[in-house]
């Protein structure tokens, strides 16, 4: 559908600018401007409709025209959209979304292994981890893999830092997380005492930031602090395990007073990988570096002679937990990709057969008393 009126959005309104509009988005939008459509950023999606911030204010629009079969292509909070001009139709519709610069996606718990888009066009991913409970390093590694894969720069916030009053104990917790997060800033933060909030506000001041974490991690409290007033409902976490209820049920985008925008997300019970091999490699970059020194280029780091990764395990420079987590995430990601890739499924079966044959051969050597 086209419209007779067109507007020049190369120099945008202050409302678009506040939501992250720039010359690159204006160039991408030019074909839609020629059709008389209006640009806007999706700030909330629910039940097939969305709220969109346009030059003329926030409008409600239907997403029926851009509901593809691929769940990763549905309209998502953070998308830049082309919307009907006022008076063109009732209801107004989103006619198209601009190509995403980045996208944060995970796999769903569905047996169909579908992907789910959580946020679009994100520059910073703030992974919120509560210090009210014991650190789950494996879960942090999962969040990091998804963040790196999305194209965003991750930051880890250790929330509720006031619950660890001993500075030495807190420093050890920060060090533990820094060890598994190469190249990532780790910030202890307390909404109660104000510790770390200035540093966090400076981090999110430019671009688009998404808040990620499980229920009870303190994301909604942080969102309220960063926005400057209560935009999200906050509920207390259970004392027994530190878990919270889902106070955030949709993804919401807010303009920050210091510049930039913030997307708050519901607490994630499951953090399934979605085609995140590159992200996994980034999280475990020290293992990737070690692998470059293995004798064989296709070394699986299991029992091969000359394996630099296993040598690092033996001399204590690489923790066993770290290698096990690396293997686990790679296997999970490989299985997920294989469900939609017949060629890869066959390769995995051949690899399993090869390893099975090698294992049986090893057992025969042992039974015969021969030395390998």
């Amino acid at each position: 559908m086209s419209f007779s009126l067109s507007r020049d959005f190369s120099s945008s309104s202050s409302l678009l600018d506040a939501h992250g509009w720039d010359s690159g988005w204006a160039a991408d939008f030019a074909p839609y401007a020629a059709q008389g459509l209006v640009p806007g950023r999706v700030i909330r999606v629910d039940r097939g409709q969305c709220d969109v911030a346009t030059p003329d204010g926030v409008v409600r629009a239907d997403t029926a025209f851009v509901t593809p079969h691929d769940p990763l292509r549905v309209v998502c909070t953070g998308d830049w959209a082309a919307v009907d001009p006022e008076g063109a139709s009732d209801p107004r519709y989103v006619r198209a979304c601009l190509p995403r610069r980045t996208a944060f996606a995970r796999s769903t718990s569905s047996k169909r292994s579908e992907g789910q888009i959580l946020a679009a066009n994100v520059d910073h991913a703030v992974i919120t981890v509560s210090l009210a409970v014991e650190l789950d390093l494996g879960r942090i590694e999962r969040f990091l893999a998804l963040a790196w894969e999305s194209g965003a720069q991750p930051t880890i916030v250790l929330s509720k830092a006031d619950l660890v009053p001993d500075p030495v104990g807190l420093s050890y917790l920060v060090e533990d997380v820094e060890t598994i997060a190469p190249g990532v800033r780790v910030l202890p933060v307390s909404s109660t005492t104000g510790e770390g909030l200035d540093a966090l506000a400076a981090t999110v001041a430019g671009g688009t930031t998404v808040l990620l974490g499980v229920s009870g991690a303190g994301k909604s409290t942080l969102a309220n602090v960063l926005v400057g007033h209560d935009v999200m409902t906050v509920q207390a976490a259970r004392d027994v395990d530190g878990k919270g209820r889902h106070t955030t049920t949709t993804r919401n985008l807010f303009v920050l007073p210091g510049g930039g925008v913030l997307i708050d997300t519901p607490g994630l019970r499951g953090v399934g990988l979605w085609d995140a091999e590159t992200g996994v490699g980034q999280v475990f970059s020290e293992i990737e570096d070690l692998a470059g020194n293995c004798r064989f280029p296709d070394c699986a780091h299991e029992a091969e002679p000359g394996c630099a990764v296993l040598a690092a395990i033996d001399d204590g420079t690489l923790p066993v937990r770290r290698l096990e987590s690396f293997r686990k995430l790679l296997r999970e990601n490989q299985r997920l990709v294989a469900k939609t890739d017949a060629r890869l499924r066959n390769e995995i079966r051949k690899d399993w057969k090869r390893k099975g044959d090698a294992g049986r051969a090893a057992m025969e050597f042992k039974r015969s008393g021969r030395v390998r």
Side-chain angles (χ1 to χ4, degrees):
M1 180 179 291
S2 62
F3 303 96
S4 59
L5 297 177
S6 66
R7 294 166 60 183
D8 180 11
F9 296 105
S10 57
S11 57
S12 61
S13 73
S14 59
L15 186 59
L16 281 190
D17 289 339
H19 284 82
W21 185 259
D22 58 31
S23 59
W25 292 122
D28 290 344
F29 188 78
Y32 300 106
Q35 300 174 37
L37 296 174
V38 175
R41 192 156 198 195
V42 178
I43 61 178
R44 176 187 170 97
V45 181
D46 61 275
R47 299 180 181 179
Q49 294 192 318
C50 60
D51 295 332
V52 185
T54 73
D56 303 317
V58 177
V59 303
R60 189 75 168 163
D62 196 296
T63 65
F65 276 86
V66 282
T67 304
H69 295 296
D70 183 355
L72 293 175
R73 302 307 307 168
V74 299
V75 178
C76 178
T77 302
D79 272 326
W80 284 98
V83 185
D84 286 340
E86 185 176 5
S89 64
D90 186 18
R92 295 168 75 167
Y93 288 95
V94 173
R95 298 291 173 174
C97 286
L98 301 187
R100 293 164 177 160
R101 294 178 181 174
T102 63
F104 195 100
R106 66 161 180 172
S107 66
T108 66
S109 58
S110 167
K111 293 182 179 180
R112 293 177 294 178
S113 298
E114 294 180 335
Q116 179 189 26
I117 183 74
L118 297 178
N121 302 311
V122 172
D123 303 296
H124 310 285
V126 172
I127 301 166
T128 311
V129 181
S130 173
L131 290 179
V133 294
E134 184 177 354
L135 288 176
D136 186 335
L137 299 180
R139 178 181 287 148
I140 296 173
E141 288 165 343
R142 284 175 170 275
F143 273 114
L144 283 172
L146 293 179
W148 283 123
E149 190 70 31
S150 74
Q153 170 66 45
T155 297
I156 298 174
V157 164
L158 301 181
S159 65
K160 307 180 184 180
D162 54 287
L163 298 181
V164 187
D166 177 21
V168 175
L170 181 60
S171 69
Y172 285 147
L173 292 173
V174 172
E175 184 178 343
D176 286 344
V177 177
E178 288 176 337
T179 300
I180 66 160
V184 177
R185 189 180 188 187
V186 180
L187 286 174
V189 171
S190 170
S191 300
T192 301
T193 67
E195 177 183 0
L197 290 177
D198 288 343
L200 178 59
T203 299
V204 304
T208 297
T209 299
V210 61
L211 282 177
L212 302 161
V214 299
S215 297
K219 299 186 307 301
S220 294
T221 299
L222 286 179
N224 290 339
V225 171
L226 292 170
V227 175
H229 59 276
D230 289 349
V231 292
M232 304 302 299
T233 302
V234 177
Q235 293 181 354
R238 296 196 301 249
D239 291 336
V240 64
D241 56 10
K243 294 182 179 180
R245 288 171 288 178
H246 289 291
T247 55
T248 305
T249 56
T250 59
R251 292 172 285 279
N252 302 276
L253 186 149
F254 307 102
V255 175
L256 297 174
V261 297
L262 181 73
I263 299 175
D264 190 23
T265 62
L268 301 176
R269 290 190 178 92
V271 193
L273 300 185
W274 181 260
D275 197 8
E277 183 175 353
T278 300
V280 172
Q282 185 78 27
V283 175
F284 298 91
S285 58
E286 79 277 28
I287 296 179
E288 297 275 281
D289 291 341
L290 287 168
N293 297 320
C294 291
R295 181 183 301 178
F296 303 109
D298 60 346
C299 184
H301 321 308
E302 293 178 349
E304 296 87 346
C307 175
V309 174
L310 295 181
I313 292 289
D314 290 339
D315 65 25
T317 56
L318 178 67
V320 174
R321 188 210 68 82
R322 189 83 167 140
L323 179 58
E324 290 175 346
S325 183
F326 174 66
R327 288 170 172 165
K328 180 179 180 180
L329 292 185
L330 278 185
R331 286 196 301 267
E332 178 183 324
N333 190 72
Q334 190 178 48
R335 284 196 301 268
L336 181 69
V337 174
K339 288 183 178 180
T340 56
D341 188 329
R343 179 187 59 81
L344 182 58
R345 280 200 301 273
N346 290 330
E347 290 179 357
I348 292 175
R349 290 192 186 102
K350 290 178 181 177
D351 186 52
W352 285 344
K353 185 177 185 301
R354 177 183 63 78
K355 290 179 179 178
D357 292 342
R360 284 188 290 272
M363 288 299 297
E364 287 300 322
F365 271 112
K366 291 181 179 179
R367 288 170 182 168
S368 64
R370 287 178 287 177
V371 180
R372 296 182 66 181

